[in-house]
Amino acid sequence: MRRKIAAGNWKMNTLLNEGVTLAEELNTLLDGIELYDDKRVVIAVPYTHISSIINVVDYKKIAVAAQNCSQFDNGAYTGEISALMLKSIGVQYIIVGHSERRQIFGETDDIVSQKLTQCYKNAIFPILCCGESLNERESVKHLEIVGTQIKNALQNVDTFNIQRTIIAYEPIWAIGTGRTATPEQAQEMHAHIRNTIADLYTKEIANEITILYGGSVNAANSANLFAKEDIDGGLVGGASLKVNEFMQIIESL
Ligand code: PGA
């Protein structure tokens, strides 16, 4: 089902006490807000914070996500956390294939595809990230690059599981730079992603997919971005760490 989602990506920020306080504050601010099933607030917090935060937020208002998971089931993978472990503590969403994981930790499209499989196996909704570099955009390859990322990531995804998948378009040049894609640039890519899904599956399925925009979303630009036809909300980094600003972004849903 196509939902409007405001997802915060805390990345490697906040100590446990700070993160719990931030989540509690958000939970309180959401008190008067009616969030129906077609609108969701998600926070992707560090692994160390997940259990504590799940205990202090109302699950009907805030879904807690992980920022990554292992591509493997279980076993001798020192330092890794499995999707099943995350499921067992109440995680509902996992960010998969964020550009920081692809660029800094060498995640390939194949690894991304395996991580998606882990999410489906454990009934977790993946938030699948894609996006081009500045160089790729300047050489007008952005549509092709993102289309290929989507096709590669979805290579093993059937018609049932695609409907459990959220896509986040995050141009790398806009992440943490203060340089947001214009609503028109984002809309063009979102429509392209939706068309790619329609080609791989059906038009009906493509219309039901939630596609988020990420990259320097803030309280000043969120309403204009979210007003675009194919933009169903945001994946918000820096601004999700400021509770009042994140609330304004949620309100612009
Ligand atoms: P940003 O990060 O909002 O700080 O640009 C977005 C993201 O990386 O998900």
Side-chain angles (χ1 to χ4, degrees), residues 63-85:
V64 179
Q67 300 168 15
N68 182 30
C69 69
S70 173
Q71 67 267 47
F72 303 112
D73 287 329
N74 66 287
Y77 302 106
T78 302
E80 290 292 280
I81 303 280
S82 73
L84 178 59
M85 291 171 183

Side-chain angles (χ1 to χ4, degrees), residues 7-11 95 98-100 129 168-180 213-218 234-241 249:
N9 176 10
W10 292 7
K11 309 193 181 187
I95 298 175
H98 190 281
S99 61
E100 286 152 16
C129 298
Y169 167 58
E170 299 204 304
I172 296 166
W173 47 272
I175 295 179
T177 58
R179 185 179 162 190
T180 325
Y213 168 78
S216 298
V217 174
N218 58 39
L235 180 55
V236 186
S240 72
L241 294 165
I249 294 169

